Amino acid sequence: MTAPLVDVGTGTPAEFEAADLEGKLALVSSDTPEDYGRWIHRREKYNFAIEAGAAGFLFRNHVPGCLPPTGDIGGRDGPRSVPGIGVSRELGARLVRHCAREDLSGTLQVDCRAEQMESGNVSGRLGPETDEMVLVTAHHDAHDIAEGARDNGAGCALVVELARMLAHIEDDLDVGVQFMTFGAEEVGLRGSRHHVEHAALDRVRAVVNCDAIGGSRDLAVHTNGFDGLPDPFERAANSLGVPVNIKPALAPHSDHWPFVRRGVPGVMAASDGSDDRGWGHTHGDTLDKLDRRNLREAAVPLAAAVLDIATGEPPATHVDPAEIERRAEREGQVLET
Ligand SMILES: [Zn+2]
């Protein structure tokens, strides 16, 4: 298709409101302005573009040298009708320059296919055969353009490493720990959603999900507003003398989310530092990008925190799912049903 190209900046709701996009191509950056208060996910920007009547969506990377980004923008039933593509920061910058100077039209030609695929979840268990259990999770799928080393081979490596470490002190666990890697996270959290639909959630003490991890030496732990849930991570950080950045806001974009949505205490353990994905979601997300020291530095406090969660009293209690809805509303998160 050929249509006028409109620069919508970083794609905040205000920027979309100010733009006339009916039948046009929306060009949006992958970053979020600091004063917005929370990160805006690609899928939200795509949805804003559709609501504004855009005919196409161009997602430009804001990270220099890190290639065109990809990522799911489909609905529950597969791809939606408005095509979307990723462009590199460098090409994006050129398009932005031209948009500022002249009325620019773009021709968008998308050659792709959507196929029926199969996926699966992998599970193992340590510790006593208790009714209650702690879940340690990551996702093993990636985008088919690269190995997915950072997103999320690193998280899977950490799940296996935590199992290896905790196996040495299995007798110290008061409740069982289930280690899982989910499939099909990148296309709508399908593996974890499937598990949540079939699991006895009242038996899950807490979920510790590893994603966007291994990119720096320090941990950021998203605790989704659960009182008490930061405690085991803070205790681990204090006893080991390492920093951990507790982020209490909802983080609705990885496999802990289907659990949290149902009121189960869940965290996403990620790398602290910049909010960009780096090589994640690009052709460059390959094994050579991982740093063993980063993984080791993440594994040690995480293992200590999981041991803490799996001993003694639970750090946090389950909440009514309606409470999660209220938190989302307060934070301006539009939750998909
Ligand atoms: Zn991921």
Side-chain angles (χ1 to χ4, degrees):
M1 79 180 63
T2 298
L5 185 65
V6 179
D7 173 17
V8 199
T10 53
T12 59
E15 285 172 302
F16 270 102
E17 244 159 65
D20 170 18
L21 284 169
E22 193 62 49
K24 298 177 183 170
L25 304 174
L27 176 65
V28 184
S29 173
S30 59
D31 60 339
T32 303
E34 251 165 53
D35 60 6
Y36 189 71
R38 68 166 182 88
W39 182 59
I40 309 178
H41 193 264
R42 162 192 72 252
R43 183 192 293 276
E44 293 178 83
K45 298 178 182 185
Y46 176 73
N47 288 339
F48 294 151
I50 290 184
E51 280 165 29
F57 181 73
L58 282 77
F59 191 57
R60 62 181 171 92
N61 203 344
H62 73 283
V63 190
C66 276
L67 309 172
T70 188
D72 177 44
I73 46 174
R76 283 282 150 89
D77 305 319
R80 299 171 67 177
S81 57
V82 172
I85 62 161
V87 299
S88 68
R89 174 190 169 107
E90 293 72 20
L91 174 58
R94 208 161 92 210
L95 294 173
V96 166
R97 275 200 311 276
H98 282 288
C99 281
R101 273 207 307 266
E102 65 206 282
D103 285 340
L104 194 66
S105 274
T107 299
L108 190 59
Q109 218 170 9
V110 181
D111 179 17
C112 65
R113 56 182 201 276
E115 289 174 38
Q116 204 77 35
M117 307 288 277
E118 266 186 31
S119 186
N121 297 334
V122 180
S123 175
R125 211 193 137 108
L126 272 181
E129 287 291 327
T130 46
D131 268 356
E132 211 186 3
M133 67 178 95
V134 178
L135 245 63
V136 177
T137 67
H139 69 86
H140 56 244
D141 63 308
H143 298 282
D144 55 7
I145 54 171
E147 293 159 8
R150 165 91 197 274
D151 184 9
N152 189 17
C156 294
L158 280 170
V159 168
V160 174
E161 178 64 6
L162 293 187
R164 194 188 67 81
M165 291 166 87
L166 291 171
H168 290 292
I169 48 167
E170 192 174 4
D171 294 343
D172 294 345
L173 300 166
D174 291 338
V175 301
V177 182
Q178 188 176 5
F179 299 87
M180 289 195 78
T181 66
F182 297 116
E185 188 268 356
E186 298 286 5
V187 286
L189 315 179
R190 282 165 199 268
S192 51
R193 274 190 6 236
H194 176 86
H195 180 73
V196 160
E197 279 158 22
H198 296 87
L201 292 183
D202 51 337
R203 293 179 53 196
V204 180
R205 180 179 275 213
V207 180
V208 177
N209 180 45
C210 304
D211 202 354
I213 198 161
S216 78
R217 274 207 244 170
D218 300 333
L219 279 182
V221 177
H222 300 260
T223 53
N224 294 288
F226 284 91
D227 289 335
L229 203 45
D231 298 353
F233 296 91
E234 280 170 349
R235 281 193 288 267
N238 288 336
S239 72
L240 293 161
V242 298
V244 60
N245 187 358
I246 302 292
K247 299 187 168 188
L250 294 179
H253 300 292
S254 188
D255 286 321
H256 55 286
W257 181 248
F259 295 88
V260 170
R261 186 80 194 265
R262 303 252 188 133
V264 180
V267 307
M268 181 169 92
S271 290
D272 199 24
S274 70
D275 278 336
D276 71 64
R277 293 180 188 274
W279 297 102
H281 288 212
T282 76
H283 285 82
D285 189 4
T286 48
L287 191 58
D288 53 290
K289 309 299 191 309
L290 295 187
D291 180 329
R292 292 175 72 174
R293 286 175 71 194
N294 287 350
L295 294 176
R296 198 178 301 137
E297 295 282 335
V300 175
L302 274 181
V306 171
L307 173 64
D308 185 315
I309 296 170
T311 48
E313 292 300 307
T317 52
H318 287 221
V319 300
D320 188 332
E323 166 58 19
I324 302 297
E325 308 273 330
R326 284 193 289 275
R327 283 179 202 170
E329 206 172 304
R330 275 200 304 275
E331 295 179 18
Q333 296 269 12
V334 181
L335 300 183
E336 286 171 49
T337 48

